[in-house]
Amino acid sequence: MSAVLVTRRLPGASVARLAAHHDVDLHAGELPLSHEELHERLEGKAGVVVLLGGRIDRAAIDAAGPSLKIIANVAVGYDNLDVAYAASKGIVCTNTPDVLTDATADLTWALILGITRRLGEGERMLRAGAWKGWGFDFMLGSGLGGKLLGIVGGGRIGRAVAMRAAAFGMRVGVSSRRDPQWPGVEFLPLERLIPSADILSLHVPLTPETRHLVDRTALTRMKRSAYLINTTRGAVVDEGALAWALKEHLIAGAALDVYEREPEVHPDLLGLENVLLSPHLGSATRETRTAMADLAIDNVLAVLGGHPALTPIR
Ligand code: GLV
């Protein structure tokens, strides 16, 4: 039996499965542990199951001490982990790929449809009692058929978003380091994708190279009729620059599920009609969250049981 910290509540029976084999220290509070609490509770642990909002950096790894063997992230993105430092200490890091691909791709399409058909704006108007009735040219949106969906990032979620595009009659282009060779999808360098996409959807992980990939310059190069969609990590977009571009109508709109400083949202975005904002719901279905929790726990059980991790981060 080893000691394992779970940094936030997990759904389903996953914690019970872990507790059948290990001594579980579960933080069941609504809010994430503070930096200090996290470090205190990490001390002497063999494993940590870390949820969004938890940062396992060099200091946290040092706080855990030499007992730490596995850091199991309950997310596919792992910009919250110092994977290189963990590896240098022989600690295995894992994430939860695949199980959240479809849920995140579905939410991406919900955002694409929501912003192009002005659903947020329409609902706000209706609830405010300001709707005067059906009108032939009332609240017209933008159609998708024949337009170009630009996917930034050649990974699983980008692919799942691309594969759904046929249902809406869209053409698809992808930019990534290498041509992912997705059927029917044109490989384009980012410099060409940005000015030609009608919908630009971001699916790259957050790394030093992708931080503020969409900045003022990129936004000014987009079509004035284009929409930006972000379901990856907030900091891939310069939020201040985006608020400015939306205010100036340099692009038609944006739909965001992620923010640079969650749960804060750039105050200028909150007052704009041409942006749809959701509170980081990409993988938020009961089925997907259960599968993510199960996969993270399986990784801990495997590594602490002396077996290879199921989904190690390499
Ligand atoms: C959620 O944001 C994830 O990376 O899984």
Side-chain angles (χ1 to χ4, degrees):
M1 226 190 217
S2 309
V4 178
L5 175 65
V6 179
T7 66
R8 286 178 88 166
R9 274 202 307 266
L10 282 178
S14 53
V15 178
R17 277 198 309 120
L18 185 61
H21 299 270
H22 299 288
D23 192 2
V24 175
D25 175 9
L26 169 71
H27 169 62
E30 206 50 61
L31 298 175
L33 288 166
S34 71
H35 204 63
E36 292 73 28
E37 285 171 314
L38 175 66
H39 287 196
E40 247 165 56
R41 285 172 73 163
L42 271 170
E43 196 187 334
K45 296 293 191 301
V48 53
V49 179
V50 60
L51 284 90
L52 220 83
R55 179 156 294 280
I56 308 293
D57 52 13
R58 178 184 277 254
I61 291 169
D62 287 342
S67 52
L68 192 63
K69 294 192 175 57
I70 171 150
I71 302 168
N73 208 35
V74 193
V76 68
Y78 50 83
D79 48 286
N80 57 325
L81 311 183
D82 190 336
V83 176
Y85 187 62
S88 77
K89 300 263 171 194
I91 300 163
V92 177
C93 290
T94 62
N95 64 344
T96 57
D98 298 316
V99 293
L100 47 63
T101 299
D102 285 332
T104 309
D106 290 347
L107 186 91
T108 304
W109 274 98
L111 293 181
I112 293 172
L113 293 163
I115 186 63
T116 56
R117 300 302 298 273
R118 303 173 67 176
L119 292 185
E121 198 184 339
E123 209 216 20
R124 278 190 294 281
M125 171 185 257
L126 187 147
R127 283 180 188 265
W131 184 36
K132 302 284 184 278
W134 188 89
F136 194 69
D137 56 359
F138 169 67
M139 215 173 255
L140 301 184
S142 182
L144 297 175
K147 305 242 175 99
L148 181 69
L149 170 64
I151 303 278
V152 182
R156 303 170 183 86
I157 297 172
R159 181 189 168 108
V161 172
M163 294 305 119
R164 284 155 170 74
F168 299 95
M170 293 193 79
R171 297 174 292 121
V172 189
V174 59
S175 110
S176 77
R177 277 183 299 209
R178 266 172 272 109
D179 183 353
Q181 308 219 319
W182 297 338
V185 175
E186 194 184 354
F187 179 57
L188 288 170
L190 191 60
E191 319 77 81
R192 279 189 52 210
L193 194 69
I194 287 176
S196 52
D198 296 294
I199 307 280
L200 192 69
S201 193
L202 307 176
H203 301 285
V204 283
L206 176 62
T207 65
E209 293 75 45
T210 63
R211 181 173 293 276
H212 287 189
L213 183 75
V214 178
D215 57 6
R216 231 170 211 263
T217 312
L219 288 159
T220 52
R221 295 186 61 237
M222 286 175 70
K223 286 184 177 178
R224 286 186 94 99
S225 55
Y227 296 86
L228 177 72
I229 314 293
N230 189 8
T231 54
T232 176
R233 285 290 180 268
V236 175
V237 175
D238 177 342
E239 226 167 84
L242 175 62
W244 163 79
L246 288 166
K247 251 195 272 178
E248 299 294 324
H249 296 282
L250 297 185
I251 61 172
L256 310 174
D257 188 47
V258 286
Y259 306 88
E260 280 202 81
R261 280 170 288 278
E262 294 179 13
E264 279 169 47
V265 176
H266 194 290
D268 291 355
L269 290 176
L270 296 172
L272 293 171
E273 288 294 1
N274 54 350
V275 59
L276 180 59
L277 306 168
S278 58
H280 204 145
L281 298 176
S283 62
T285 68
R286 263 184 260 289
E287 296 84 349
T288 298
R289 287 286 164 83
T290 303
M292 290 166 70
D294 282 340
L295 180 52
I297 298 298
D298 286 344
N299 274 313
V300 174
L301 291 173
V303 171
L304 296 185
H307 304 289
L310 282 80
T311 50
I313 298 167
R314 293 182 210 279

